Amino acid sequence: RTSVAQPLTASSRVVTTRPNTIGGPAYSQGAYEVKHEKDEQLQNLKELRKTSGLKQVPVSDGLQAFKKAAIDNQLGRDAFLAAYTQLLQEHNVEMPSDEVKNAVFDLFDRDDNNVVDMMELIC
């Protein structure tokens, strides 16, 4: 006997889901949180995200402010901190401590050369 494929109809369709999306984004985020709850670096980054004030500033405004303050597409620590302070003031965002401001600079200064260049800002 040979079998003949039957045409698919609305009632015969099988819908499948991908295994990694069963719980959706909230489930995935929760699983990630549990897996990395003891990751000190991640916890520090999350705290910095909360305290930096940058969440309340549109990304395009931040990039423009830093680009405007840059000399030869680079910002030394003092220039970065001045531009960061001015950016937060312009958006009426509460000013974080100097420790937090310096941590934001260090976060962007990925190659630890005490200069933030435009590539470090956008990557």
Side-chain angles (χ1 to χ4, degrees), residues 14-15 24 28 36 64 72 87 89-90 97 108 116 118:
V14 176
V15 177
S28 298
H36 296 284
Q64 287 175 348
D72 294 329
L87 179 65
Q89 289 171 342
E90 289 173 359
S97 69
F108 283 109
V116 173
M118 293 301 108

Side-chain angles (χ1 to χ4, degrees), residues 2 10-11 31 45 63 72 77 81 84 89 92 95 120:
T2 59
S11 62
L45 182 61
L63 288 174
D72 294 329
R77 185 176 296 268
L81 296 176
Y84 176 37
Q89 289 171 342
N92 298 314
M95 198 60 56
E120 288 172 314

Side-chain angles (χ1 to χ4, degrees), residues 5-113:
Q6 299 295 318
L8 287 177
T9 63
S11 62
S12 66
R13 283 189 356 195
V14 176
V15 177
T16 60
T17 59
R18 296 184 312 205
N20 62 341
T21 59
I22 290 174
Y27 176 82
S28 298
Q29 181 65 33
Y32 182 86
E33 297 288 335
V34 168
K35 182 178 178 182
H36 296 284
E37 68 186 345
K38 293 187 168 114
D39 184 335
E40 188 176 325
Q41 189 175 15
L42 179 62
Q43 297 308 319
N44 288 340
L45 182 61
K46 288 170 79 175
E47 184 62 26
L48 185 59
R49 184 173 179 239
K50 289 179 192 174
T51 59
S52 70
L54 290 174
K55 258 178 109 171
Q56 290 105 11
V57 177
V59 172
S60 61
D61 291 359
L63 288 174
Q64 287 175 348
F66 288 123
K67 185 175 182 177
K68 183 179 174 184
I71 298 172
D72 294 329
N73 288 324
Q74 295 185 331
L75 292 159
R77 185 176 296 268
D78 291 339
F80 180 92
L81 296 176
Y84 176 37
T85 298
Q86 183 177 351
L87 179 65
L88 295 182
Q89 289 171 342
E90 289 173 359
H91 286 83
N92 298 314
V93 177
E94 184 178 335
M95 198 60 56
S97 69
D98 287 345
E99 179 183 9
V100 168
K101 290 191 277 187
N102 279 295
V104 170
F105 176 86
D106 292 338
L107 177 68
F108 283 109
D109 182 20
R110 294 180 185 216
D111 58 6
D112 293 324
N113 67 348

